[in-house]
Amino acid sequence: MTTLQHLPANREDPTAVRYTERADRAEQREHLSNTTFDLLVIGGGILGISTAWHAAQSGLRVALVDSGDFAGATSSASSKLLHGGLRYLQTGAVKLVAENHFERRAVTRQVAPHLSRPLTFYLPIYKHGPHSAAKMGAGVFAYSALSAFGDGVGHLLNPAKARMAVPELRIDDLKAVAVYGDSQMNDARMALMTVRAAADAGAAVLNHAEVTGLRFTKGRVSGADLRDRRDGTEFGVDAHVVLNATGPWVDHLRRMEDAGADPSIRLSKGAHLVLKRTAHWKAALATPIDRYRITFALPWEDMLLLGTTDEEYEGDPGEVAVTEKDVAQILDEAGHSVRPEQLRRELITYSFAGLRVLPGGPGSTAKAKRETVVTEGRGGMLSVAGGKWTTFRHIGRTVMKKLAEMPGYTIGSEMEPMRNLPRRLPLPGIANPHAVQHRLLSDGGAPLPNLGEDTAKHLATHYGSIAFDIARLAGEHPELAERVHPDAPEIWAQVVYARDMEWAETPDDVLRRRTTLTIRGLDTPEIRARVQTLLDRR
């Protein structure tokens, strides 16, 4: 684990304050260029990150690179859920739901309780809706049974009682509410903590490093040529095995290996809206739109998250965006169960869209299986695509297992330690967030006096015990204890920490993925300029 130290305060120039940081980009490029790795993972979404984490834990020499930021695309554009998959029950996928529940509970309770939390869901059943109360009551009971009733017993609730927990619930024609439990997270923070776990285990990681070509030795892929998108420096990485985990771009990289490679995936666009909340919600809404689709209204980061859409996407993955059609659809579908006062357009602070990677084939994307597919190309490059956030640990293990079993790979014998890895290996900062928050606010025990309750809660639930390092930095440098924006819980010490310890390179890296300023609609030009100034003082 990296040891953090502080440099002396510079009262005249607060932007000069910094941690003793991880290796800078030049040092990391040199390390990447001068080492032959067992495994090079191309793609810093959660599939690539999880594989790099597990591979490093198994003792392999691992490199992880991404052309953008870690979790910069689909992995930070999810519905922020760790869930068993209630809708899978109607397809008879009982085993899949049970496996998803196992992973969800493991992450929420043993792996990252500081980054995720249980969340109660209400499934409103309206007159003339696609499902009956009896069916939904039986469904949520079976769903909770597959979770060993760890989140309570699924049941039906009186609409009046449901309205007490969700004031904005529309009760016209509401017959009953089915209740079940799942979990929620901040996907960007979860991904970044997993990158940190991989790096702490020995992986060499570098974001904003674009692959410009693959390296070959005797017809086999043996590395990649890269360009640092921050300063244009070109360099290369050699590896015994290369894993293509580039998500929506997986076929682009496969064609670098084999120009004639057939398409292997199709893409489904999922759009979301973030709105200011008009009331406090104690539960989330999961509203059936038809037999197969559900729309969510989720209390998240003190806001309300609405979505998602599900439609086939054939454009450039780098240009996916929320359209007016998406906004209208999301608001219209949310209106099935949410009162119109909460759905006013002026309450929207942010919108985002991501791409689900689905196996190629016919049929509606809404009905397609969210399965993970690992394939081997003509030049020996492995490609992994698909999967769900909920099972990110399982996917990392699955890729490693397939790698060990494939003939012709020299690193299979070196992966024996993989079998001995703890099944619930925690992420950095693991702690009870309530205890962290209490200590941050306690008299005498807090490293930063006069810390606001909302800031203490935010630090505890986004960093766990690492929150004490950030609070200590702010305590030693009072200018960094100031809020980034008066309407958000973040403080400037988080920006310095993101720069020095979390690989933040751009204002978007900081404001969109390492903090919540962008999703709150608070990333003003003045704030972006000051963040850029801090980033320039590396």
Side-chain angles (χ1 to χ4, degrees):
M1 186 69 70
T2 303
T3 300
L4 305 183
Q5 298 178 348
H6 303 298
L7 296 182
N10 185 335
R11 300 295 183 186
E12 296 182 359
D13 185 4
T15 64
V17 176
R18 65 190 302 161
Y19 268 129
T20 298
E21 61 184 36
R22 296 182 183 273
D24 64 23
R25 294 187 69 82
E27 293 170 333
Q28 195 70 306
R29 286 196 306 262
E30 183 177 2
H31 176 48
L32 288 165
S33 300
N34 295 330
T35 304
T36 298
F37 292 91
D38 296 311
L39 178 65
L40 166 61
V41 180
I42 301 173
I46 190 55
L47 297 194
I49 294 169
S50 179
T51 301
W53 175 35
H54 285 87
Q57 282 290 342
S58 72
L60 299 183
R61 292 166 297 180
V62 182
L64 171 67
V65 298
D66 192 277
S67 64
D69 188 22
F70 299 123
T74 297
S75 292
S76 61
S78 76
S79 296
K80 324 300 181 187
L81 297 178
L82 298 166
H83 62 117
L86 179 63
R87 73 180 183 89
Y88 299 149
L89 283 182
Q90 66 181 349
T91 64
V94 175
K95 182 179 179 182
L96 175 63
V97 173
E99 291 174 346
N100 288 349
H101 271 314
F102 174 85
E103 286 295 316
R104 176 184 67 83
R105 292 196 310 270
V107 172
T108 306
R109 298 176 183 179
Q110 288 98 18
V111 176
H114 52 312
L115 305 174
S116 56
R117 66 182 181 89
L119 181 63
T120 299
F121 280 77
Y122 288 171
L123 197 157
I125 303 156
Y126 290 96
K127 186 178 180 181
H128 306 306
H131 304 294
S132 68
K135 178 182 177 181
M136 288 295 94
V140 296
F141 180 85
Y143 190 70
S144 61
L146 290 171
S147 182
F149 301 110
D151 303 280
V153 179
H155 60 281
L156 293 178
L157 184 67
N158 179 293
K161 290 184 177 180
R163 182 71 174 272
M164 294 175 64
V166 182
E168 300 295 357
L169 175 64
R170 187 177 67 80
I171 59 174
D172 299 340
D173 296 325
L174 181 61
K175 297 193 298 181
V177 174
V179 183
Y180 67 96
D182 266 326
S183 300
Q184 186 181 52
M185 62 172 175
N186 181 311
D187 49 10
R189 292 299 316 169
M190 185 78 78
L192 283 165
M193 283 295 192
T194 311
V195 175
R196 178 173 181 144
D200 289 347
V205 304
L206 190 67
N207 54 358
H208 299 286
E210 178 183 13
V211 171
T212 57
L214 296 176
R215 293 184 167 188
F216 293 84
T217 301
K218 297 180 180 180
R220 304 281 291 182
V221 176
S222 58
D225 295 314
L226 297 103
R227 180 178 63 87
D228 190 328
R229 299 179 70 180
R230 302 302 299 148
D231 63 10
T233 300
E234 296 183 350
F235 63 104
V237 180
D238 294 318
H240 295 304
V241 178
V242 175
L243 177 68
N244 170 15
T246 53
W249 293 269
V250 67
D251 282 341
H252 172 74
L253 197 61
R254 288 177 64 246
R255 285 190 289 271
M256 284 190 181
E257 176 190 30
D258 176 7
D262 293 328
S264 64
I265 62 168
R266 55 181 175 153
L267 303 175
S268 169
K269 174 183 169 183
H272 295 80
L273 302 178
V274 182
L275 292 80
K276 295 179 181 178
R277 279 207 312 253
T278 57
H280 179 67
W281 290 40
K282 296 180 181 179
L285 296 181
T287 306
I289 299 301
D290 54 38
R291 285 189 60 198
Y292 296 98
R293 290 192 58 243
I294 289 177
T295 190
F296 292 108
L298 309 165
W300 180 72
E301 299 289 7
D302 304 317
M303 311 289 282
L304 187 68
L305 180 66
L306 301 180
T308 179
T309 60
D310 192 339
E311 62 178 18
E312 192 155 358
Y313 183 83
E314 297 179 346
D316 182 343
E319 296 180 358
V320 64
V322 178
T323 65
E324 171 55 33
K325 177 184 175 183
D326 297 326
V327 174
Q329 177 184 340
I330 293 170
L331 292 176
D332 179 65
E333 292 180 346
H336 282 65
S337 58
V338 180
R339 298 173 63 198
E341 291 82 356
Q342 173 61 79
L343 301 179
R344 301 192 310 272
R345 287 187 175 237
E346 58 265 30
L347 296 177
I348 298 174
T349 62
Y350 188 64
S351 63
F352 62 89
L355 294 173
R356 306 176 189 90
V357 181
L358 306 174
S364 166
T365 57
K367 300 178 184 178
K369 292 183 178 180
R370 270 54 172 170
E371 61 185 16
T372 304
V373 179
V374 182
T375 58
E376 182 180 3
R378 178 177 294 180
M381 182 174 70
L382 298 181
S383 294
V384 57
K388 293 165 52 65
W389 242 113
T390 302
T391 56
F392 75 97
R393 298 183 321 130
H394 176 70
I395 292 170
R397 287 179 174 273
T398 298
V399 174
M400 297 304 297
K401 182 179 179 181
K402 287 184 178 291
L403 182 60
E405 294 173 347
M406 285 184 172
Y409 288 91
T410 60
I411 66 175
S413 61
E414 302 174 35
M415 292 170 54
E416 288 301 316
M418 190 69 198
R419 299 178 181 176
N420 300 321
L421 285 180
R423 288 300 300 266
R424 295 177 176 83
L425 197 68
L427 291 181
I430 182 170
N432 182 317
H434 301 292
V436 172
Q437 179 181 352
H438 175 75
R439 184 177 162 193
L440 285 170
L441 293 171
S442 64
D443 293 335
L448 178 61
N450 303 319
L451 187 68
E453 185 172 347
D454 60 337
T455 296
K457 179 180 179 181
H458 172 82
L459 292 175
T461 56
H462 290 70
Y463 301 88
S465 63
I466 296 171
F468 299 122
D469 295 317
I470 296 171
R472 194 172 300 112
L473 174 64
E476 295 176 2
H477 305 280
E479 66 279 4
L480 298 183
E482 298 175 2
R483 291 178 183 250
V484 178
H485 189 284
D487 296 332
E490 282 91 350
I491 57 177
W492 283 102
Q494 292 173 252
V495 179
V496 172
Y497 189 86
R499 178 196 67 190
D500 294 343
M501 296 301 297
E502 293 186 335
W503 306 278
E505 293 288 331
T506 71
D508 279 340
D509 293 352
V510 173
L511 297 170
R512 169 65 179 84
R513 287 172 288 279
R514 288 155 185 80
T515 68
T516 65
L517 274 299
T518 294
I519 65 103
R520 296 176 190 273
L522 303 177
D523 55 343
T524 66
E526 293 78 14
I527 287 174
R528 294 182 72 87
R530 186 175 176 187
V531 169
Q532 184 64 64
T533 299
L534 280 167
L535 293 174
D536 289 341
R537 293 301 302 265
R538 292 185 178 277

